[in-house]
Amino acid sequence: MKLDIVKYPEAVLAKECSKVEKVTPELRELVDNMVETMYDDDGIGLAAPQVGESIRLIVIDPSGPKNREEMQVIINPEIIEREGEVDSEESCLSCPSFRCVIKRSEKVTVTGMNLEGEDVRIEADELLAIVLQHEIDHLDGTLIVDRVGRLKRNMYDKKIKKWLKNQN
Ligand code: ZN
């Protein structure tokens, strides 16, 4: 089932998410729905708070909705090592019509758990490293709009306010 994407500035996106204690049938169902939603919205990653669940869970597929070859589910992901720095051009399903260039680590090592309850360790570079950092940011309540300068952020805030006003 496709889920609704929560959009900025909803409060759940700014909250620190809680750890997942165990893999339950409900969690598996949520994962299925998140994967479907990610592909359907042409995303390459989705974090649980983006569908309103404040838990530490992400799904990613840097090969994109076209190829669907590198899908991974990571529970309680954590960046344990970082190396280098790159400029990364990003957008986010929760921040419509917003693009920006931000600084990211070039390489990251991420640990966590998969849906089988096994420990995983991912050594990532290139797009995979960026997607991981972007999605793990969501679990700490950080959006790309939080990573840009105040001017750009204020402009986006104004745009969003206008949209919300026009919807009502
Ligand atoms: Zn995002």
Side-chain angles (χ1 to χ4, degrees):
M1 187 181 74
K2 190 173 182 268
L3 304 170
D4 286 333
I5 302 262
V6 175
K7 308 255 162 67
Y8 175 78
E10 283 205 42
V12 68
L13 294 171
K15 255 174 69 178
E16 186 164 343
C17 298
S18 46
K19 267 199 157 181
V20 175
E21 297 301 336
K22 66 175 187 198
V23 178
T24 60
E26 290 77 25
L27 190 88
R28 286 173 186 279
E29 197 186 331
L30 174 65
V31 165
D32 282 347
N33 291 337
M34 280 173 64
V35 172
E36 187 182 335
T37 306
M38 170 177 75
Y39 286 142
D40 217 70
D41 283 331
D42 285 331
I44 55 174
L46 196 66
Q50 292 184 276
V51 293
E53 298 289 337
S54 193
I55 57 171
R56 304 190 80 82
L57 163 70
I58 62 172
V59 298
I60 57 167
D61 189 345
S63 77
K66 243 182 160 168
N67 295 315
R68 306 189 180 194
E69 281 164 354
E70 293 163 32
M71 205 280 284
Q72 282 195 72
V73 179
I74 311 163
I75 298 164
N76 302 329
E78 203 180 326
I79 297 172
I80 58 160
E81 268 174 56
R82 296 175 177 275
E83 205 187 303
E85 194 182 75
V86 283
D87 286 326
S88 166
E89 192 184 346
E90 297 183 24
S91 57
C92 177
L93 294 175
S94 293
C95 308
S97 302
F98 188 78
R99 283 195 86 79
C100 58
V101 175
I102 54 182
K103 297 270 182 221
R104 294 286 191 194
S105 301
E106 194 177 2
K107 295 178 184 175
V108 290
T109 303
V110 171
T111 58
M113 191 171 84
N114 64 19
L115 266 185
E116 279 68 55
E118 300 158 348
D119 287 340
V120 292
R121 182 189 169 95
I122 304 164
E123 279 168 28
D125 60 3
E126 299 184 353
L127 185 58
L128 178 60
I130 301 295
V131 179
L132 284 167
Q133 290 172 80
H134 180 115
E135 300 311 329
I136 293 171
D137 257 4
H138 274 297
L139 306 184
D140 295 321
T142 304
L143 297 172
I144 51 175
V145 293
D146 299 312
R147 292 205 176 274
V148 297
R150 197 195 284 175
L151 192 69
K152 201 167 160 94
R153 167 69 174 261
N154 285 347
M155 276 168 63
Y156 189 59
D157 277 343
K158 273 189 197 144
K159 202 159 140 185
I160 291 283
K161 267 193 196 137
K162 225 175 172 178
W163 279 348
L164 293 174
K165 222 169 134 187
N166 289 341
Q167 272 172 23
N168 293 333

